[in-house]
Amino acid sequence: MKHVLAVLVEDKPGVLVRVAGLFARRGFNIESLAVGRTQDPGISRMTIEVEADERTLEQVEKQLHKLINVLKISNLTVEPSVHRELLLIKVKATAATRAEIQHIVETFRAKVVDVALNSLIIEVTGNEEKLQAIQLLLAPYGILEVVRTGKIALLRGAKTTKNGEEQKNGKNVL
Amino acid sequence: MKMTGAEMIVAALQAEEVDVIFGYPGGKVLNLYDAFYDSSIQHYLSRHEQGAIHAADGYARVTGKAGVVFTTSGPGATNLVTGLANAYMDSVPLVVFTGQVATTLIGTDAFQEADIFGITQPVTKHNYLVTDVNELPRIIKEAFYLAKTGRPGPVLIDLPTDVQVAAGEFKYPSTVNIPGYNPTLDGHPVQINRAAQAIAQAEKPVIYAGGGVVISGAQQLLLELAEKANIPVTTTLMGLGGFPGTHPLSLGMLGMHGTYYANMAVHESDLIIAVGARFDDRVTGKLSHFARTAKIIHIDIDPAEIGKNVSVDIPIVGDVTRVLTSLVQKVKGKTHEAWLEKIAQWRRQAPLTYVQAEDAEVLPQYVIESIYQVTEGEALIATEVGQHQMWAAQYYLFKKPRAFISSGGLGTMGYGFPASLGVQIGAPGQTVFCIAGDGSFQMNLQELATAVAYQLPVKVAIINNHYLGMVRQWQEMFYGGRYASVDLQQSPDFVKLAEAFGAVGLRVQKPREVVPAIEKALATPGPVVIDFHVRAEENVFPMVPPNSGISEMVRGNEA
């Protein structure tokens, strides 16, 4: 099963390598990884999508906790949360097909962000299914290039994944 | 106070009460070594960086303090990698300082540049590349704290030359603030109660004690727990000495070369109390066959060890000493007569034994047992890795913790001899033996020069079977006797070798020479190498073959 983990880390040199290296050497599979700064200076947030059974997931979380620069880990799969990814697609477009493509773009509430003589770049955000669907519909026109950011996610409601709300390792195993 | 980076390191090590350093200088630590030239901290110069780090590791294991290592950049630093991995696997506290090219040169493939920060991430508890001298006091404070607390381990600090010469304000912090590091020390009371209940209900309990007991200094509490409820105790290789090997409740070591009775007890147990152990594959054998009828209580300071290899019924995260302190109070007295009798039967059925005929070849087991007898079980024993290591674990009964110094997790040949030097430095005046194989000893024998230079009176017992014995044993048992690349007939004359280094060398070829040689070595000041020529194709038994359950032992000669 796929799990989405929100991992708060200290923004220190080498932290991305530590996390990525841990996944590699312990044989955990990363489906996607997105990193960026948070509202707190010095703290970055990694959103890691991982394919794992329950036992492996427990190891992933425990091993991540052992990294000194990791502050907090939340599994956003088990709680209601909003998951999004941004996709840019460069697709072939001629005078004849441009209108049809435009129609697909509108249906998906996507945006055309670059128009050239023979191509368009389309920006679309959404969950996995939506991104797959628009890519499928655009395929017949000729996809030239695709780039994705990796998934990011937030808990629904006022609850947050904030550092310092609970002790990292202090949470005992019951 | 204004200081250079190098001076800060001297001051910080003094604040940490470090009195010995193991190291090897070079181009990128000249400033560091210069700053230490007038310091009262004793520096031990090894003959190879790997020797330095293994010695620091041996020192740390015997004293419980952090071992400190200095080396230069590039090859000096990469030569530490095995030593770091070794210390990481066995949870040994080390603080390692490596020189690095100047920050302005990093990334340019400069002379003797290696990305040691990147290389050592998987084999350290944490590591640092210092780029600002003002961060140095905090980093050193954190490094010692991380190395020694929680589950201990090695921490590396990489020091570019310009950071060593730059000046900054030195104020050594008295506390640390590491938000992402907060080990759980006290066990959860609900879990401890559940554990006490399970112990009260168990009819066939076994304590399985690991290195965590030794590291935490919990030997007295473990003894109390075992005696209070009459629970037999088996230890891992790392746990030897955590429970007295001479105690009636001691089953010796379990696992691949564990005793028949320890493995049978675990196999038929209804409750396993794992204390500071990690269910390593050398302990469990085939996992699907491991202790199928037992409930498992697992006490460990590292939450990631719990549930990693086996499913646990009662997990308790915490420091072994603290957890056992609470648990012992809650456990009630029991006798377990039937269970202990069953174990006694197994013990009678298949004791650890060998027969040394007077006019036959020397048996390795006899050498180990003779060292045990002559030293009255009081020596500190460092071992290399292989058959001799297993015989040492089987036939030397350790009464106290921190007396058996051996590479458990990584299984590093070349560890034992340099480690024994660190052990002797950490325990001056005590008898230190290094039990080595003829293969392992040759991996770091250059440290004989270090032993002689500092007149460290370590006695090296080479169990010389002219083979890479453990590999040969596997080839004999599982590869149809095809002895691929294990013949060590072409070894140096170890007696002459010792003499060439300025040490004393002795050779033993007959059983009656064994005890006199050990006595002579002990009576000789300074380092002594004894070359025991032993039966070449002797095997270590019992043995749990690979991919077998631990009850499926090959009992060999004594079966």
Side-chain angles (χ1 to χ4, degrees):
Chain A
M1 174 181 173
K2 279 186 192 172
H3 296 267
V4 176
L5 302 179
V7 183
L8 295 181
V9 299
E10 289 181 286
D11 188 11
K12 295 245 168 103
V15 66
L16 179 60
V17 178
R18 287 186 205 274
V19 171
L22 175 81
F23 274 78
R25 73 177 168 272
R26 292 203 182 260
F28 305 143
N29 293 320
I30 298 183
E31 296 282 319
S32 78
L33 172 67
V35 198
R37 290 197 188 123
T38 65
Q39 70 281 12
D40 295 323
I43 295 179
S44 292
R45 179 168 173 138
M46 296 185 183
T47 307
I48 305 174
E49 195 176 10
V50 56
E51 171 72 47
D53 59 24
E54 208 171 303
R55 194 177 172 135
T56 309
L57 181 74
E58 185 184 320
Q59 267 297 304
V60 169
E61 293 188 18
K62 284 174 165 180
Q63 295 294 347
L64 278 172
H65 268 312
K66 284 176 73 169
L67 297 178
I68 308 297
N69 298 137
V70 169
L71 300 169
K72 170 138 191 181
I73 302 163
S74 302
N75 186 345
L76 300 186
T77 319
V78 295
E79 291 191 70
S81 47
V82 179
H83 298 213
R84 289 291 180 272
E85 187 169 3
L86 186 142
L87 172 74
L88 294 177
I89 308 184
K90 188 178 287 180
V91 63
K92 281 187 195 164
T94 60
T97 59
R98 195 165 280 138
E100 286 176 41
I101 293 171
Q102 188 63 39
H103 186 67
I104 294 169
V105 166
E106 279 162 22
T107 311
F108 277 85
R109 288 193 229 161
K111 267 196 290 190
V112 173
V113 291
D114 180 71
V115 183
L117 203 55
N118 298 316
S119 70
L120 293 171
I121 297 178
I122 296 155
E123 172 194 313
V124 52
T125 59
N127 59 21
E128 182 74 35
E129 293 75 33
K130 180 176 169 184
L131 301 190
Q132 269 177 7
I134 192 167
Q135 203 171 324
L136 195 74
L137 288 174
L138 291 173
Y141 302 99
I143 292 174
L144 296 169
E145 216 172 0
V146 165
V147 60
R148 300 171 68 148
T149 56
K151 192 171 279 183
I152 55 171
L154 281 180
L155 288 170
R156 288 187 184 274
K159 205 174 161 193
T160 60
T161 303
K162 253 197 191 148
N163 178 38
E165 284 169 354
E166 67 183 67
Q167 281 189 339
K168 191 183 89 167
N169 289 341
K171 202 171 77 176
N172 213 327
V173 182
L174 253 178
Chain B
M1 196 181 159
K2 279 269 183 203
M3 283 187 189
T4 67
E7 288 164 350
M8 286 184 186
I9 295 167
V10 179
L13 294 197
Q14 275 161 348
E16 292 289 343
E17 296 176 352
V18 171
D19 37 39
V20 295
I21 295 167
F22 301 86
Y24 204 104
K28 296 295 176 283
V29 280
L30 281 163
N31 294 297
L32 187 56
Y33 272 81
D34 188 61
F36 271 87
Y37 190 66
D38 295 321
S39 124
S40 60
I41 300 176
Q42 165 102 45
H43 177 272
Y44 287 90
L45 173 66
S46 65
R47 294 299 182 271
H48 188 296
E49 288 87 354
Q50 192 186 352
I53 191 166
H54 289 329
D57 175 309
Y59 174 87
R61 290 189 205 217
V62 79
T63 60
K65 299 186 210 167
V68 178
V69 180
F70 282 4
T71 73
T72 191
S73 64
T78 55
N79 276 343
L80 297 175
V81 171
T82 301
L84 289 167
N86 188 71
Y88 188 54
M89 286 284 261
D90 287 348
S91 308
V92 178
L94 297 179
V95 177
V96 176
F97 295 86
T98 51
Q100 182 54 279
V101 301
T103 51
T104 48
L105 287 174
I106 286 179
T108 65
D109 304 314
F111 178 63
Q112 292 194 329
E113 181 186 1
D115 172 20
I116 207 65
F117 178 70
I119 288 169
T120 60
Q121 270 176 7
V123 293
T124 52
K125 184 168 172 183
H126 195 58
N127 64 4
Y128 298 90
L129 168 60
V130 188
T131 52
D132 177 356
V133 71
N134 294 303
E135 290 189 351
L136 198 46
R138 172 186 64 79
I139 286 173
I140 299 174
K141 181 77 190 176
E142 287 182 7
F144 275 92
Y145 183 77
L146 289 171
K148 291 194 288 189
T149 58
R151 179 177 181 174
V155 178
L156 181 137
I157 302 174
D158 201 21
L159 294 161
T161 48
D162 51 340
V163 173
Q164 294 174 43
V165 295
E169 193 60 35
F170 180 78
K171 186 168 176 289
Y172 200 60
S174 53
T175 55
V176 293
N177 175 22
I178 313 171
Y181 180 73
N182 191 10
T184 303
L185 299 176
D186 289 309
H188 198 290
V190 172
Q191 297 296 75
I192 291 173
N193 281 335
R194 284 183 62 204
Q197 275 166 22
I199 292 170
Q201 285 159 7
E203 285 172 12
K204 297 186 281 181
V206 177
I207 293 171
Y208 148 49
V213 173
V214 175
I215 293 168
S216 181
Q219 60 278 358
Q220 195 54 40
L221 287 158
L222 184 67
L223 186 64
E224 275 179 52
L225 175 67
E227 287 185 340
K228 196 168 179 187
N230 270 295
I231 306 172
V233 180
T234 178
T235 70
T236 66
L237 186 78
M238 296 301 297
L240 289 172
F243 188 78
T246 47
H247 195 283
L249 287 170
S250 171
L251 305 179
M253 184 171 75
L254 82 166
M256 182 170 273
H257 291 296
T259 64
Y260 177 72
Y261 34 100
N263 284 341
M264 290 308 292
V266 167
H267 184 65
E268 296 208 359
S269 157
D270 65 355
L271 179 70
I272 291 171
I273 306 153
V275 189
R278 60 184 178 90
F279 296 89
D280 176 78
D281 56 280
R282 284 294 188 267
V283 159
T284 61
K286 194 175 185 177
L287 271 174
S288 56
H289 282 62
F290 181 73
R292 278 177 294 193
T293 53
K295 255 192 175 182
I296 295 179
I297 299 170
H298 192 179
I299 303 167
D300 204 286
I301 199 160
D302 181 355
E305 289 303 344
I306 291 178
K308 186 178 81 177
N309 295 335
V310 301
S311 298
V312 172
D313 301 279
I314 306 176
I316 307 177
V317 178
D319 173 53
V320 168
T321 295
R322 295 209 196 183
V323 173
L324 288 188
T325 303
S326 318
L327 185 59
V328 166
Q329 287 166 4
K330 293 187 170 132
V331 166
K332 294 186 182 68
K334 288 194 84 172
T335 56
H336 295 303
E337 275 164 32
W339 176 231
L340 292 176
E341 177 46 35
K342 175 97 182 158
I343 291 171
Q345 275 174 27
W346 284 322
R347 198 191 289 260
R348 286 192 293 270
Q349 208 181 321
L352 279 179
T353 184
Y354 61 92
V355 181
Q356 175 69 68
E358 223 174 284
D359 48 0
E361 295 163 289
V362 177
L363 289 181
Q365 300 94 320
Y366 175 65
V367 176
I368 309 286
E369 199 157 35
S370 300
I371 295 172
Y372 174 65
Q373 302 289 353
V374 173
T375 58
E376 296 172 345
E378 297 289 345
L380 305 174
I381 304 288
T383 78
E384 294 285 353
V385 168
Q387 287 183 315
H388 66 276
Q389 178 191 31
M390 294 298 111
W391 284 313
Q394 291 177 337
Y395 288 95
Y396 202 102
L397 304 182
F398 293 90
K399 298 179 212 167
K400 53 181 195 255
R402 301 195 181 280
F404 180 69
I405 309 296
S406 195
S407 170
L410 196 65
T412 310
M413 289 173 70
Y415 167 78
F417 177 51
S420 73
L421 305 184
V423 168
Q424 186 74 78
I425 289 163
Q430 293 201 52
T431 302
V432 179
F433 263 86
C434 169
I435 295 175
D438 47 321
S440 291
F441 182 66
Q442 291 187 63
M443 284 207 177
N444 266 321
L445 63 76
Q446 78 287 345
E447 298 306 322
L448 267 172
T450 313
V452 171
Y454 298 100
Q455 276 302 298
L456 300 167
V458 169
K459 313 305 172 194
V460 184
I462 301 177
I463 308 298
N464 187 351
N465 54 14
H466 300 96
Y467 274 119
L468 293 173
M470 187 59 93
V471 181
R472 186 208 56 75
Q473 177 172 343
W474 281 57
Q475 289 173 342
E476 179 192 328
M477 293 175 71
F478 312 117
Y479 291 85
R482 291 154 57 87
Y483 290 173
S485 301
V486 290
D487 190 324
L488 291 184
Q489 286 301 333
Q490 197 50 42
S491 284
D493 177 330
F494 290 114
V495 173
K496 283 189 186 161
L497 182 88
E499 287 165 1
F501 276 95
V504 172
L506 305 171
R507 181 166 295 116
V508 170
Q509 284 165 314
K510 297 196 174 77
R512 65 182 151 75
E513 297 167 355
V514 170
V515 169
I518 295 166
E519 286 169 344
K520 186 173 178 191
L522 286 169
T524 307
V528 179
V529 176
I530 321 173
D531 181 19
F532 291 98
H533 284 212
V534 299
R535 184 170 182 270
E537 301 198 16
E538 185 67 14
N539 288 334
V540 183
F541 290 118
M543 178 175 190
V544 178
N547 303 312
S548 303
I550 56 169
S551 63
E552 301 166 341
M553 279 162 281
V554 178
R555 278 152 56 189
N557 318 335
E558 61 269 47

